[in-house]
Structures are given as structure tokens and as C-alpha cells.
Amino acid sequence: MQRVTVPWSMWYGDTFEMDFPDGWEITVAEMRGGPDIEEAGIRQAFAQPIGAPRLRELAQGRRDAAILVDDLTRPTPSYRILPHILEELAAAGMDEDRVRIVCAVAAHRPMTRDDMIKKLGLDVVERMNVSNHNAQDNLEFYGHSSQGIPIWVNRDFARSDVKIAAGMITPRGSFFGGGSKLLLPGACGRQTIFANHSFCDPGVFREHIEEVGRMVGLEYIANPLLNSEGGVMAMVVGHPQQAYEHGVEIAKSLYATEMPEGMDVVIANAWPKDTEGTQIAMALVPVRGTSRQVVHEGGSWVVTAGCPEGLGYHSVMGPGTLFRMAGKRSGTGGTVRQAKELDFIFSPGLNRYDVQAQFGSRADIGARLQFCKTWDALIEALVAKHGPNARVCVLPCGSMQYASD
């Protein structure tokens, strides 16, 4: 047997060993990556912001501040970033009683105390004002955007004086996440999220996110880029659009992955967005983003994911929602019916009903999509289809990799 070890179950600290038949030709397509810049590198990013003054200068004399952080569906190590933000605010004379942390969960489930401890660190959870965004209530209305989208925003964030978003930059398909995207959809109302993903022109999807950031008054971002161990390999801080755009240029280099051609099988591992089943289709982002024919006609596309929290929850695009039943096209890339691109899903944390709920019933997708609860079952099915001499490519961090061509 040949063995490839991949990262597994983000926030639950696992790896997974993929064992393959000896006769198979295995290619592991790694992203370029980079070493962890350590605390000194993060501190330097805050000392040299892009397109904005230092946060300690911007916050001088201001009333209060709110910081958006993402949830466990994203791998952002907020526990490493927040201390630097708080240090800058303290240097501006703003004590922690005037700082609020809002968990920008968008239409996902609320974060529990244990989730917050994982994401923010016990010390922050114990001593600071930390709350979940509620997409159904506690919202401020900003009017309509240029796309006709009604803009409802978390009221606590809207009424804060200094508005900061602390997400991360990561490939999303047609654009990169990060910057103002933690605000929209992260801290917006359900109506705004649904309308944005349903009716915003895909050609201006990212520009629309920036527009909403300006409408709301988002002033500052702090966004890391992560390597294949979850370490911070780069960091951008500063103006929401200028720092983001600089980060995207870095991301195109550091997340870059050379994609193979003509493979029998591509195995896209969903880490680090494999906490729950609603997110795992993002493992295919680098495959969709390449100009190469990675899998030959008749080949197999496989998504693997730990899903320690099971299927998960999404009130706008999850199973049974109007968005999904209408087959709406999301500006984040692809359609919600992505099962047509898949042949196999392997996940110990899901069952076949979860897969049907997320990717459509068997009537929707025919007999093509096969769910495998165990690795042995997946390999048996692939051997039956492709024989003893298959050419196989593994994307170990699929949801964070970027096709370089």
C-alpha cells in the first residue's frame, strides 16, 4: 500500500491516512505555501498597515470599537490575531470595556462557548464582550445598494465607532474571500444574504461586497493567509479594499497549486473547511479554477471530508431552503447543485441522508454520486471503476488551494 497523510477535521486536530493500491500512480498536488511568520511577523503587519494609518492612530479619541470574527466553518486563527488588535486599541486609549467582538456567523448556527474558546482563546472569552450575530434580528437598515439589495447589518456592529473585520484571505473560485466579505454575508441579515446570493450580478459580486463595506463604514481589516499546517504564512492589515487587494496578490502566489492533467481520479480534501458538510464542495475550488482538464472524460471526482460536526446548518443555502430548491446561482462560484461535478463523497461524519440533503436526492443526481462512509469502501469502488493502474491526484487542502494555470 501507498500512504498519503492529509490534514483532517479542522478545529478537532486530526490527520487522516489515505492508503492506496501499490499499482496506482499517486500525485500529491501541494500548494506553494510558506513558513509561519510567527508573532513578530504579525506584529510587523500591524506596524505597517496598507492604505491606512496604524490602528492606534485611527482609533485615537474614538468612542468604541467592534471586531468581526468568523466561526468554526473557517480556519482563521483569531486567537493569534485578536491580541494584536486589542493592543493597538489599548495604545489608542480604548480599554476593553469599549470593545465588542461579534461572531460573524452569517446564516450559520450560533457559536457555543466551546466554539468561542477554540476560535478566540479562553482568556478573551472569559474577560470580553463576545456575542453571536443574529441574522433574524438586532439589525440596522442602511437602505438599498446599487444592485437593489436591501442592506441589513448587525446593530451592535453598525452602531460602533470603529469597525474592524478580522477574517482571512482564501480562494473562493471566481474571487478571493477576506476583507469586507466578513461583513457581507457574515454580519448581515438573512434577507440581505439571500438577496445578495440570489440576485447580485455575478460579474460584480466582489465589487458589491466592497460597496456594502463602504456603506456601513468598515474601516479596517486584519487578514492572515494560512499554510497547510494552519500557520500564518502572510498577513495584511489596513484599509478594507487596499489591504485586501494586496493580500490577494500574495495569495495567488502562496496558495498556488500546479494542477495535473488527464488523471483518472482527483481526490479533493475539504480541509480546512471540513468541519461540517455544508461547506465541503469548496474542496473543488482549485479544480474549477484551472484551464487544464484535470480529470479525463470518464474519470472520477472525489471529495473527502472529516465533518466532525455532521452536516451542519445554513439558514439561507442549506437543505430545504428556497435558495436551494430554486437552484439559484451563487456569486461565490458554481451553483448550489454541485453534485453533478462529483462522483464520490467520503466522510465518516456524514450519512447518506446528509449527502442527499446537501447535494440533492438520487432522483436529482441519478446514480452517479456515490457516498462512502469508510475509506475501504471508497477504494473498492474506485478500483472497480478504474482498475489496478489508476492515475490519482490528491489535493490535501482543496478548499484553500488556488490553481496556478
Side-chain angles (χ1 to χ4, degrees), residues 133-186:
H133 168 58
N134 179 358
Q136 313 288 345
D137 209 334
N138 190 35
L139 302 169
E140 193 96 349
F141 185 56
Y142 278 83
H144 291 76
S145 71
S146 63
Q147 293 292 302
I149 308 297
I151 305 302
W152 293 90
V153 175
N154 179 279
R155 182 177 292 131
D156 297 322
F157 187 74
R159 295 185 178 181
S160 65
D161 196 5
V162 180
K163 299 177 178 66
I164 304 164
M168 68 168 287
I169 293 178
T170 182
R172 293 283 305 195
S174 58
F175 67 94
F176 282 77
S180 300
K181 192 175 184 300
L182 192 55
L183 170 62
L184 175 60

Side-chain angles (χ1 to χ4, degrees), residues 96-144:
E96 291 183 353
D97 287 342
R98 294 191 282 153
V99 180
R100 174 188 292 270
I101 298 170
V102 178
C103 300
V105 300
H108 307 163
R109 67 167 177 83
M111 294 178 73
T112 66
R113 174 179 166 81
D114 285 345
D115 296 338
M116 292 175 182
I117 291 170
K118 287 181 178 182
K119 174 66 71 165
L120 309 176
L122 176 62
D123 187 48
V124 168
V125 174
E126 289 283 347
R127 76 174 196 265
M128 294 201 65
N129 185 348
V130 183
S131 61
N132 279 299
H133 168 58
N134 179 358
Q136 313 288 345
D137 209 334
N138 190 35
L139 302 169
E140 193 96 349
F141 185 56
Y142 278 83
H144 291 76

Side-chain angles (χ1 to χ4, degrees), residues 35-306:
D36 196 307
I37 62 175
E38 308 293 347
E39 295 311 297
I42 297 174
R43 185 176 299 277
Q44 182 178 7
F46 277 89
Q48 299 175 335
I50 298 163
R54 284 192 70 157
L55 183 55
R56 62 182 61 190
E57 298 169 12
L58 182 144
Q60 191 76 37
R62 306 285 285 274
R63 183 184 71 250
D64 57 11
I67 307 165
L68 298 181
V69 297
D70 50 25
D71 63 11
L72 296 192
T73 67
R74 302 294 183 264
T76 315
S78 302
Y79 57 87
R80 293 186 62 184
I81 310 305
L82 277 173
H84 296 275
I85 298 176
L86 297 176
E87 181 180 304
E88 288 290 306
L89 293 174
M94 190 178 295
D95 59 59
E96 291 183 353
D97 287 342
R98 294 191 282 153
V99 180
R100 174 188 292 270
I101 298 170
V102 178
C103 300
V105 300
H108 307 163
R109 67 167 177 83
M111 294 178 73
T112 66
R113 174 179 166 81
D114 285 345
D115 296 338
M116 292 175 182
I117 291 170
K118 287 181 178 182
K119 174 66 71 165
L120 309 176
L122 176 62
D123 187 48
V124 168
V125 174
E126 289 283 347
R127 76 174 196 265
M128 294 201 65
N129 185 348
V130 183
S131 61
N132 279 299
H133 168 58
N134 179 358
Q136 313 288 345
D137 209 334
N138 190 35
L139 302 169
E140 193 96 349
F141 185 56
Y142 278 83
H144 291 76
S145 71
S146 63
Q147 293 292 302
I149 308 297
I151 305 302
W152 293 90
V153 175
N154 179 279
R155 182 177 292 131
D156 297 322
F157 187 74
R159 295 185 178 181
S160 65
D161 196 5
V162 180
K163 299 177 178 66
I164 304 164
M168 68 168 287
I169 293 178
T170 182
R172 293 283 305 195
S174 58
F175 67 94
F176 282 77
S180 300
K181 192 175 184 300
L182 192 55
L183 170 62
L184 175 60
C188 285
R190 187 182 183 280
Q191 183 184 23
T192 302
I193 298 169
F194 174 81
N196 183 64
H197 284 75
S198 299
F199 304 115
C200 182
D201 181 349
V204 297
F205 192 85
R206 181 70 217 194
E207 290 84 349
H208 183 250
I209 289 172
E210 304 295 351
E211 176 192 344
V212 173
R214 292 190 296 271
M215 287 176 66
V216 176
L218 178 66
E219 290 185 84
Y220 225 75
I221 67 167
N223 284 186
L225 288 72
L226 304 188
N227 62 25
S228 58
E229 289 80 42
V232 177
M233 61 180 177
M235 182 86 197
V236 292
V237 172
H239 185 274
Q241 188 163 356
Q242 293 179 43
Y244 164 78
E245 290 174 353
H246 183 73
V248 167
E249 293 309 306
I250 299 171
K252 288 177 179 178
S253 173
L254 295 185
Y255 291 133
T257 304
E258 184 176 353
M259 303 298 290
E261 291 187 274
M263 306 302 288
D264 296 305
V265 181
V266 166
I267 297 177
N269 188 36
W271 191 92
K273 297 178 182 177
D274 67 338
T275 306
E276 62 176 49
T278 62
Q279 306 292 318
I280 64 174
M282 284 192 275
L284 296 172
V285 163
V287 180
R288 295 195 208 102
T290 184
S291 59
R292 296 184 175 185
Q293 185 173 349
V294 180
V295 178
H296 65 70
E297 189 163 346
S300 295
W301 294 25
V302 182
V303 165
T304 62

